[in-house]
Amino acid sequence: MPEAFLELRDLTKCFAEHTAVEKLSVSVRRGSVLALLGPSGSGKTTTLRLLAGFERPDQGAILVDGREVTRLPPAQRRFGMVFQHYALFPHLTVAENVAFGLAKRGTPTDRNGRIAEMLALVDLAGFEQRKVTELSGGQQQRVAVARALAPEPRVLLLDEPLSNLDPGLRERTRRELRAALEKTGVTTVLVTHEQEEAFALGDRVAVLRDGRLEQAGTPPELYERPRTRFVATFVGRASTLSATLVTPNRAKLDVGGEWTVETPAPVKPGTRVTVVVRPESIRFAEEGISGTIAVRRYTGARAYFQVRVGDAVLEVEAPVHAAQHGDAVRVVADRALAFAEEP
Amino acid sequence: MWLTVLLLWIVVYPLALVFLQSVRGEAGWTLQYVAEFVSERREWSAMWASIWISAASVALAAIIGIPLAFVFERVDFPGRRVLGALVALPAVLPPLVGVIAFLFLYGESGFVGRAVALVLGLDEAPWRLRGPGAILLVHAYSMYVYFYLFMRAGLARIDGSMYEAAQSLGAGPWSTVARVTLPLLRPQVAAAALLTFMTSLGSFSAPYIFGGGFRVMTTQIVASKLNGDMAMATAETAGLALVALVGLALLRRTRGTDLVAAVGKGTAPPARALTRPLVRWGATGVGWVLGLFLLLPHMTLVLVSFVPVGTWTTQLFPPAYGLGNYVDLVSEPERLRPLMNSLWMAAAATVAALAISVWAGRLVVQRRASLRGMIETLVNVPWAVPGTVLAIALAATFSIRAPWVGRWVLVGTVVILPLAYLIRNIPIASGSVLAGFRQLDPSLEEAAASLGAGRWRTLRAITLPLLRPAILAGGALAFATALGDFVTSIVLYTFDTRPISIEILGALRQFDVGLAAAYGVLLMVFSAAAMTVGTKR
């Protein structure tokens, strides 16, 4: 990749019993946002702490602008971090929190200018003298962002930046955060377990599982062309069916019927596969495999139907009046992916 | 690493040497002293006295403290808040000061003794404040506070629905206490019992002043030391240390898990208001009588501190009062000296103990499990060791010059008492500071680091300011304890470094009760001030 500003090479970190991160390599372009996405225990927070310098990797290297920083202590790394619970200093005011990273830099006037600039960036102008303990969760989050950005970090690290906010506040805060990142143009790595957040904030998303990188790519790449079954089911909604591959692009479903499938990774005909299909890729039809509507979940113009097919359940997105609870229906898939069954 | 070495050297090493020396004579390994110790009847009776006095103190303190805690936490009546605080007041009397207050109050020539003699037309009080009874009286008075405070804290955390659940299942009020409340509070009871037992086992002031011919181990050890029989004192010390460790181990096992913390987070039900006026005001009346009784020692001390030397002979109340004692205290260099000694030695010991605690705290929160357990144990060891044992151990360790095994001559220098105070202060200071560290969000220090702050700036700008309440609380308590110390001082002091407690003893010997009381009042005021600073949030 051209112009990789931040590069992780074969990072490995073991704790007493288990390997938290294993041979992780990923890079981030200057000024872009990488989202590390994975379920809890996937090693994404450990990766962030390795980047910040709070943990030392057992193997591998971290490079910024071609220079290695792997063993640099956090204080000399010039990486800004926004902590999951913000970690604002409770005994300092908003201004003092933001000023903390500006120590010894420029004149006091310069520093005050920078503080005002940062608070304006996160829409908290005039909050200088407030106590951080008096702020709402959303305001605290923004102070944390301002504090991390104030010393002009080379890389900004965000640990689950929105997870501590009320759902109603998340959407807005996410937009504001995205705007602040774009305005400052800072290279950013963020950690999240929510796909929506990763897709909204990340230019690229790296999906982690058990400490290993499953796939990295833009949101459309991950959604449309997942390379593993894990990515296909973890990113976006999907139903799975067991099947046997009969030809390179035909799979015989256990519940009956045959579907045309794509195989992102080569699979030999005759092997057991898992067929993954998105709700919007299935439609009700005259022919196809038959099942009954078990659940209809109304969401407005469209509805999600759960169709019971044998012992499997398929999720179908369709117009609200396409079917009723208990109806016998037939479905066909416009596009389905097949992955070799995991042992 | 260095901290571990330091703690091993000042905390564990002297104790280990005591055990070692009790089985070593001039000619090498010997069981001679142990044999002497074991064969002496009076040693056995002192040991037995220490144990049964401690057990009886626990029982008495529990019988007084637990019901008081229930009354003040559960029942509402006028004056409950003020009285509830008054009940904790015995805690502000340093041990020796409490003892002399009792002497002035209930002793043969104390107020109550004189009053009773006057009423009955006798020449002297019909009792003598001597022996085990007197010791137990002082212990009960000063140690029920542990049960009272621990139980109140525990009761305040039990969710009201617990009682409602018990009632809806058909349990009456007594049955609820016996089957729900007390079992839930087992850890609090065990902790208070442990603290009372250990304090009582190490108690020196009361047996020393009131014991007479009745010896417990602590007074026995000091007597041997003063007689110059250091070998015997060492053997006795080893014996007492052994009992303390066994007691600690046995009582620790009764603690059980903290169930309140597990099921808790609840809010205690509001205290039940007494409704019938007679009962209501009766409770207040009884409360004030109790409060007055508990305050009598403090008031006695203040009153006696105004008595000029030699003026109070046979009268019920002293005939003359004046500020003379206090004026003497600050104007006469020889009187001021113990005060200054105590202040600087306690201050130095407190600062050092706080520094060690912060150092230990940093190591303990930095997830290095192996070191953490070790350090947490080491800082708590001095707590399990009676003051007399520590003093003898230090006297034995630091009276020889042998730098290659970490021994220097410190006995007789100005260093030894502050060192002793420091060691006794470590568990007090670190208890508070370590708790403060545990409440500190570790990501705060990481945040400081990621913003470019080095270790010192993080410590100065983030960690210490946030730990301020914990440091103040631990420091205040440590300072008050060191200021009032008598147990280690009497073994290790020199004339030039004599602290207040030794001077109180000297004044008593010269029958200058006014001066002794004036010193006592000063100690009481310092302790009260320290407690106030310490409990402020």
Side-chain angles (χ1 to χ4, degrees):
Chain A
M1 165 181 307
E3 226 196 321
F5 181 67
L6 172 67
E7 206 181 337
L8 286 65
R9 273 193 203 152
D10 287 333
L11 273 193
T12 299
K13 175 70 184 173
C14 302
F15 292 114
E17 294 286 283
H18 73 294
T19 308
V21 176
E22 199 176 342
K23 289 199 173 290
L24 178 66
S25 296
V26 67
S27 56
V28 190
R29 241 181 291 186
R30 189 189 293 274
S32 76
V33 179
L34 173 73
L36 296 175
L37 175 67
S40 63
S42 61
K44 54 193 195 304
T45 296
T46 305
T47 307
L48 203 70
R49 293 177 61 80
L50 288 169
L51 282 172
F54 302 141
E55 309 280 355
R56 288 277 171 83
D58 297 316
Q59 276 162 44
I62 300 165
L63 289 87
V64 177
D65 218 359
R67 232 178 262 149
E68 187 165 345
V69 298
T70 321
R71 314 243 147 236
L72 220 53
Q76 288 160 38
R77 216 170 260 217
R78 293 191 48 222
F79 279 27
M81 172 121 174
V82 175
F83 291 81
Q84 187 174 7
H85 301 279
Y86 316 136
L88 296 180
F89 305 131
H91 60 304
L92 303 181
T93 62
V94 168
E96 287 167 335
N97 263 283
V98 177
F100 192 88
L102 299 174
K104 286 178 264 161
R105 199 175 306 173
T107 64
T109 328
D110 292 346
R111 287 203 290 272
N112 286 336
R114 182 72 182 157
I115 294 166
E117 186 190 337
M118 284 299 109
L119 288 180
L121 176 74
V122 295
D123 203 16
L124 281 177
F127 275 67
E128 277 86 348
Q129 298 315 316
R130 295 279 282 274
K131 282 188 171 177
V132 292
T133 44
E134 291 168 355
L135 302 182
S136 70
Q139 290 168 334
Q140 291 188 5
Q141 195 261 7
R142 287 184 276 157
V143 174
V145 172
R147 180 179 72 176
L149 286 175
E152 298 179 58
R154 299 190 287 182
V155 176
L156 180 68
L157 307 171
L158 303 165
D159 189 3
E160 303 269 6
L162 305 174
S163 65
N164 271 312
L165 298 174
D166 294 334
L169 207 59
R170 253 182 234 181
E171 175 68 31
R172 211 186 98 197
T173 313
R174 187 161 63 199
R175 271 201 312 275
E176 288 166 351
L177 182 61
R178 177 82 224 189
L181 295 182
E182 271 167 16
K183 206 181 267 179
T184 49
V186 62
T187 308
T188 304
V189 178
L190 76 92
V191 150
T192 177
H193 64 276
E194 283 184 29
Q195 174 239 322
E196 210 184 332
E197 207 169 298
F199 276 25
L201 290 170
D203 296 315
R204 277 166 39 91
V205 176
V207 180
L208 299 188
R209 181 197 188 189
D210 296 336
R212 281 190 300 270
L213 179 68
E214 284 275 315
Q215 186 175 353
T218 62
E221 277 170 7
L222 289 178
Y223 191 79
E224 287 158 22
R225 292 194 296 282
R227 276 206 297 269
T228 65
R229 186 203 142 169
F230 177 78
V231 174
T233 50
F234 188 71
V235 172
R237 308 175 76 94
S239 312
T240 55
L241 289 168
S242 299
T244 308
L245 204 68
V246 284
T247 71
N249 59 359
R250 294 288 290 172
K252 187 173 160 41
L253 303 175
D254 289 6
V255 293
E258 251 184 43
W259 274 357
T260 303
V261 295
E262 298 171 22
T263 49
V267 187
K268 275 194 208 120
T271 35
R272 297 285 298 158
V273 292
T274 304
V275 173
V276 180
V277 58
R278 302 247 181 245
E280 68 272 17
S281 301
I282 310 184
R283 60 190 157 80
F284 297 123
E286 297 299 315
E287 74 280 35
I289 57 177
S290 51
T292 35
I293 305 287
V295 174
R296 185 183 77 159
R297 192 162 61 81
Y298 180 81
T299 62
R302 314 275 293 171
Y304 283 95
F305 298 87
Q306 287 190 3
V307 181
R308 178 161 294 285
V309 180
D311 57 356
V313 173
L314 285 176
E315 204 173 37
V316 181
E317 191 198 328
V320 175
H321 300 294
Q324 295 295 323
H325 179 86
D327 283 358
V329 290
R330 285 172 169 267
V331 294
V332 291
D334 295 327
R335 182 165 180 258
L337 302 171
F339 300 95
E341 216 164 59
E342 288 175 10
Chain B
M1 177 63 203
W2 286 111
L3 181 67
T4 316
V5 172
L6 175 69
L7 287 173
L8 282 173
W9 177 58
I10 62 174
V11 172
V12 177
Y13 184 51
L15 293 174
L17 273 182
V18 161
F19 281 109
L20 204 67
Q21 286 193 351
S22 64
V23 288
R24 246 187 111 81
E26 275 153 26
W29 300 102
T30 172
L31 285 175
Q32 182 197 341
Y33 306 122
V34 177
E36 273 177 33
F37 176 78
V38 173
S39 61
E40 281 278 353
R41 244 191 75 92
R42 96 199 130 86
E43 301 292 339
W44 280 110
S45 70
M47 183 67 91
W48 171 235
S50 272
I51 293 169
W52 80 255
I53 287 271
S54 301
S57 299
V58 171
L60 281 174
I63 289 170
I64 302 170
I66 295 178
L68 276 178
F70 270 96
V71 168
F72 280 97
E73 197 63 37
R74 283 271 165 279
V75 185
D76 196 17
F77 51 88
R80 164 174 173 249
R81 271 173 174 275
V82 179
L83 287 169
L86 271 188
V87 171
L89 266 185
V92 304
L93 283 180
L96 179 66
V97 179
V99 168
I100 64 165
F102 265 67
L103 194 64
F104 297 152
L105 189 58
Y106 303 113
E108 299 89 280
S109 50
F111 290 115
V112 174
R114 286 173 199 240
V116 170
L118 198 70
V119 169
L120 298 181
L122 302 170
D123 289 338
E124 56 179 17
W127 68 80
R128 293 175 67 72
L129 195 60
R130 282 250 172 276
I135 296 170
L136 281 177
L137 181 68
V138 175
H139 281 188
Y141 172 78
S142 54
M143 295 176 199
Y144 82 82
V145 179
Y146 301 143
F147 279 93
Y148 174 71
L149 291 178
F150 283 31
M151 292 297 284
R152 277 199 75 167
L155 279 170
R157 284 165 54 212
I158 297 184
D159 195 288
S161 60
M162 288 286 159
Y163 307 117
E164 290 165 2
Q167 279 164 22
S168 73
L169 293 167
W174 291 108
S175 155
T176 306
V177 167
R179 291 172 60 198
V180 177
T181 319
L182 284 179
L184 274 177
L185 290 179
R186 189 170 125 176
Q188 278 78 12
V189 176
L194 182 61
L195 190 55
T196 307
F197 186 86
M198 300 305 284
T199 311
S200 178
L201 196 65
S203 167
F204 175 74
S205 305
Y208 185 72
I209 306 282
F210 294 139
F214 179 78
R215 287 267 174 85
V216 296
M217 277 317 282
T218 51
T219 46
Q220 183 72 18
I221 290 169
V222 171
S224 297
K225 165 82 166 46
L226 292 182
N227 286 336
D229 192 352
M230 194 59 187
M232 189 48 138
T234 312
E236 288 162 351
T237 302
L240 180 58
L242 215 58
V243 172
L245 292 177
V246 170
L248 182 71
L250 286 180
L251 282 169
R252 272 265 160 94
R253 288 177 54 182
T254 64
R255 183 160 47 181
T257 46
D258 194 345
L259 292 171
V260 177
V263 300
K265 278 190 183 163
T267 39
R272 193 165 58 86
L274 296 174
T275 42
R276 275 185 296 177
L278 204 65
V279 181
R280 208 168 132 77
W281 292 103
T284 310
V286 171
W288 277 108
V289 170
L290 174 73
L292 190 73
F293 170 75
L294 293 174
L295 265 182
L296 271 180
H298 306 68
M299 296 190 298
T300 303
L301 210 59
V302 172
L303 188 71
V304 174
S305 75
F306 293 119
V307 175
V309 62
T311 57
W312 187 26
T313 47
T314 57
Q315 303 87 339
L316 173 55
F317 282 100
Y321 299 95
L323 285 172
N325 293 318
Y326 290 99
V327 175
D328 284 0
L329 266 188
V330 286
S331 60
E332 281 183 38
E334 275 311 294
R335 293 273 144 87
L336 186 61
R337 185 133 172 205
L339 187 60
M340 297 320 270
N341 279 342
S342 276
L343 284 176
W344 85 256
M345 293 193 297
T350 302
V351 169
L354 286 174
I356 288 179
S357 303
V358 171
W359 191 1
R362 280 191 55 85
L363 291 179
V364 166
V365 292
Q366 286 170 1
R367 320 155 192 187
R368 281 173 62 186
S370 59
L371 221 57
R372 174 172 23 181
M374 175 96 163
I375 286 173
E376 278 180 331
T377 310
L378 281 178
V379 294
N380 276 313
V381 166
W383 183 82
V385 176
T388 315
V389 169
L390 175 70
I392 296 290
L394 288 178
T397 306
F398 297 112
S399 55
I400 293 172
R401 190 183 144 76
W404 56 90
V405 287
R407 295 169 76 172
W408 285 271
V409 178
L410 301 179
V411 172
T413 71
V414 296
V415 183
I416 191 76
L417 268 188
L419 179 65
Y421 295 170
L422 160 66
I423 296 171
R424 298 200 75 198
N425 273 346
I426 287 175
I428 302 172
S430 68
S432 176
V433 172
L434 288 190
F437 262 105
R438 281 192 202 98
Q439 284 172 4
L440 216 62
D441 181 357
S443 56
L444 287 176
E445 293 195 352
E446 292 176 351
S450 77
L451 291 166
R455 252 214 281 179
W456 287 109
R457 178 153 181 247
T458 305
L459 186 69
R460 215 182 55 240
I462 303 300
T463 315
L464 289 182
L466 289 174
L467 283 177
R468 219 174 77 104
I471 289 176
L472 269 183
L477 206 56
F479 182 75
T481 311
L483 203 64
D485 175 87
F486 178 50
V487 199
T488 50
S489 302
I490 197 171
V491 176
L492 297 170
Y493 82 98
T494 63
F495 182 72
D496 285 338
T497 62
R498 65 192 188 281
I500 295 176
S501 53
I502 299 300
E503 197 68 5
I504 290 180
L505 202 63
L508 277 184
R509 290 224 171 93
Q510 293 165 17
F511 300 102
D512 192 349
V513 290
L515 183 67
Y519 278 119
V521 168
L522 277 186
L523 281 182
M524 185 171 82
V525 169
F526 278 123
S527 297
M531 302 265 179
T532 315
V533 172
T535 50
K536 222 186 282 172
R537 289 278 154 230

